[in-house]
Amino acid sequence: MIKICAMCGNNFETNKLNQKVCSAECKRMGNIIRNREYRKRMSNASKKKTTPPKKKAQRTLECYACGKSFERSFANEKFCSDECRLKYFKVNERNGL
Protein backbone atom coordinates (compact mmCIF):
# COMPACT_ATOMS: atom_id res chain seq x y z
CA MET A 1 0.00 0.00 0.00
CA ILE A 2 1.46 3.37 -0.97
CA LYS A 3 0.74 6.40 1.26
CA ILE A 4 1.78 10.03 1.47
CA CYS A 5 3.80 11.10 4.53
CA ALA A 6 1.92 13.57 6.73
CA MET A 7 5.14 15.46 7.57
CA CYS A 8 7.24 15.66 4.41
CA GLY A 9 4.72 14.76 1.69
CA ASN A 10 6.85 11.95 0.17
CA ASN A 11 5.30 8.69 -1.01
CA PHE A 12 6.15 5.61 1.05
CA GLU A 13 5.13 1.98 1.06
CA THR A 14 3.63 0.33 4.15
CA ASN A 15 1.54 -2.66 5.20
CA LYS A 16 0.04 -0.85 8.20
CA LEU A 17 -3.26 0.99 7.81
CA ASN A 18 -2.65 3.53 10.58
CA GLN A 19 0.93 4.54 9.66
CA LYS A 20 1.05 8.23 8.71
CA VAL A 21 4.78 9.02 8.43
CA CYS A 22 7.55 7.59 6.30
CA SER A 23 10.48 7.52 8.72
CA ALA A 24 11.65 7.90 12.31
CA GLU A 25 12.81 11.45 11.51
CA CYS A 26 9.32 12.45 10.31
CA LYS A 27 7.81 10.79 13.38
CA ARG A 28 10.16 12.78 15.66
CA MET A 29 9.29 16.04 13.87
CA GLY A 30 5.58 15.27 14.22
CA ASN A 31 6.01 14.65 17.96
CA ILE A 32 7.90 17.94 18.37
CA ILE A 33 5.15 19.89 16.59
CA ARG A 34 2.38 18.12 18.52
CA ASN A 35 4.12 18.77 21.88
CA ARG A 36 4.69 22.42 21.01
CA GLU A 37 0.98 22.86 20.17
CA TYR A 38 -0.03 21.07 23.39
CA ARG A 39 2.21 23.29 25.56
CA LYS A 40 0.85 26.39 23.85
CA ARG A 41 -2.76 25.28 24.48
CA MET A 42 -2.02 24.49 28.12
CA SER A 43 -0.27 27.80 28.77
CA ASN A 44 -3.20 29.69 27.23
CA ALA A 45 -5.67 27.65 29.28
CA SER A 46 -3.83 28.40 32.52
CA LYS A 47 -3.79 32.13 31.73
CA LYS A 48 -7.57 32.14 31.24
CA LYS A 49 -8.31 30.52 34.61
CA THR A 50 -9.24 33.07 37.20
CA THR A 51 -10.62 32.15 40.57
CA PRO A 52 -13.23 34.42 42.09
CA PRO A 53 -12.09 36.27 45.19
CA LYS A 54 -12.94 34.58 48.46
CA LYS A 55 -15.60 36.16 50.60
CA LYS A 56 -14.16 37.40 53.84
CA ALA A 57 -16.01 36.72 57.04
CA GLN A 58 -17.72 39.67 58.65
CA ARG A 59 -15.08 41.38 60.78
CA THR A 60 -17.33 43.05 63.36
CA LEU A 61 -19.71 40.98 65.40
CA GLU A 62 -21.81 41.30 68.55
CA CYS A 63 -20.60 39.31 71.54
CA TYR A 64 -23.00 36.45 72.38
CA ALA A 65 -22.66 37.14 76.10
CA CYS A 66 -22.65 40.93 76.56
CA GLY A 67 -23.87 42.23 73.19
CA LYS A 68 -20.90 44.56 72.78
CA SER A 69 -19.62 44.78 69.19
CA PHE A 70 -16.05 43.64 68.62
CA GLU A 71 -13.73 42.95 65.73
CA ARG A 72 -12.90 39.29 65.47
CA SER A 73 -9.55 37.79 64.54
CA PHE A 74 -10.77 34.31 63.58
CA ALA A 75 -13.83 33.18 61.65
CA ASN A 76 -15.26 31.15 64.55
CA GLU A 77 -14.98 33.77 67.31
CA LYS A 78 -18.27 34.54 69.07
CA PHE A 79 -17.20 36.32 72.24
CA CYS A 80 -15.27 39.55 72.83
CA SER A 81 -13.21 38.11 75.69
CA ASP A 82 -12.52 34.98 77.71
CA GLU A 83 -14.56 36.42 80.59
CA CYS A 84 -17.64 36.72 78.36
CA ARG A 85 -17.10 33.23 76.98
CA LEU A 86 -16.88 31.72 80.49
CA LYS A 87 -19.86 33.76 81.72
CA TYR A 88 -21.96 32.63 78.73
CA PHE A 89 -21.25 28.94 79.29
CA LYS A 90 -21.80 29.15 83.07
CA VAL A 91 -25.23 30.75 82.54
CA ASN A 92 -26.22 28.19 79.91
CA GLU A 93 -24.92 25.33 82.04
CA ARG A 94 -27.26 26.39 84.85
CA ASN A 95 -30.19 26.65 82.44
CA GLY A 96 -29.56 23.15 81.15
CA LEU A 97 -28.54 24.16 77.62
Side-chain angles (χ1 to χ4, degrees):
M1 173 184 317
I2 296 178
K3 290 184 144 188
I4 299 172
C5 178
M7 292 309 300
C8 65
N10 291 335
N11 291 334
F12 68 97
E13 191 169 333
T14 182
N15 294 330
K16 299 175 184 175
L17 294 174
N18 61 351
Q19 187 174 350
K20 293 179 174 63
V21 291
C22 63
S23 65
E25 181 64 24
C26 284
K27 180 179 178 181
R28 189 176 75 75
M29 290 304 295
N31 287 340
I32 289 170
I33 292 170
R34 225 178 358 268
N35 288 339
R36 191 177 296 146
E37 290 170 354
Y38 175 78
R39 285 193 303 267
K40 189 175 182 179
R41 271 196 328 266
M42 290 300 113
S43 71
N44 288 340
S46 67
K47 289 176 186 174
K48 291 179 185 177
K49 286 183 183 177
T50 56
T51 56
K54 291 183 179 179
K55 283 188 174 181
K56 289 189 175 183
Q58 185 182 4
R59 299 288 295 183
T60 55
L61 190 69
E62 283 189 16
C63 178
Y64 278 26
C66 67
K68 184 174 71 172
S69 67
F70 70 99
E71 197 156 314
R72 61 182 176 182
S73 308
F74 303 101
N76 60 351
E77 277 186 306
K78 296 175 184 160
F79 306 99
C80 62
S81 65
D82 285 337
E83 292 82 23
C84 282
R85 182 176 53 82
L86 293 171
K87 184 172 87 173
Y88 179 82
F89 286 115
K90 279 185 181 179
V91 169
N92 285 335
E93 189 177 286
R94 285 187 209 138
N95 293 336
L97 297 176

